[in-house]
Amino acid sequence: MPKMKTKSGAKKRFSLTGTGKIKRKHAFKSHILTKKTTKQKRALTHVGLVSSADMNRVKDMLTI
């Protein structure tokens, strides 16, 4: 049986914490930044955690 491959898009977007939670970055921070306020851009900088509703889906993509 071949090994399960990790989805390459998920591999680039998510990472694991030491306790097994999954870190993610905020969306809307990559382009069209001129119309967004400085406060909004600064708030999007901080990393977040994947919600519990999406946890199983993300774990499947990462083959955890």
Side-chain angles (χ1 to χ4, degrees):
M1 189 77 185
K3 293 181 181 177
M4 291 289 291
K5 285 192 176 181
T6 302
K7 299 270 190 248
S8 57
K11 160 176 33 174
K12 297 166 192 171
R13 286 170 173 84
F14 302 108
S15 61
L16 278 176
T17 64
T19 56
K21 296 174 186 163
I22 302 173
K23 289 192 297 188
R24 65 170 179 83
K25 289 188 178 177
H26 284 278
F28 308 112
K29 186 72 199 296
S30 58
H31 62 98
I32 315 177
L33 298 173
T34 52
K35 63 175 76 170
K36 297 181 179 104
T37 62
T38 308
K39 181 179 179 180
Q40 187 179 2
K41 289 183 277 193
R42 200 167 48 241
L44 293 172
T45 299
H46 309 298
V47 293
L49 295 174
V50 173
S51 70
S52 58
D54 296 323
M55 191 70 77
N56 287 335
R57 193 176 311 129
V58 175
K59 282 184 176 180
D60 284 343
M61 288 192 279
L62 294 173
T63 60
I64 297 172

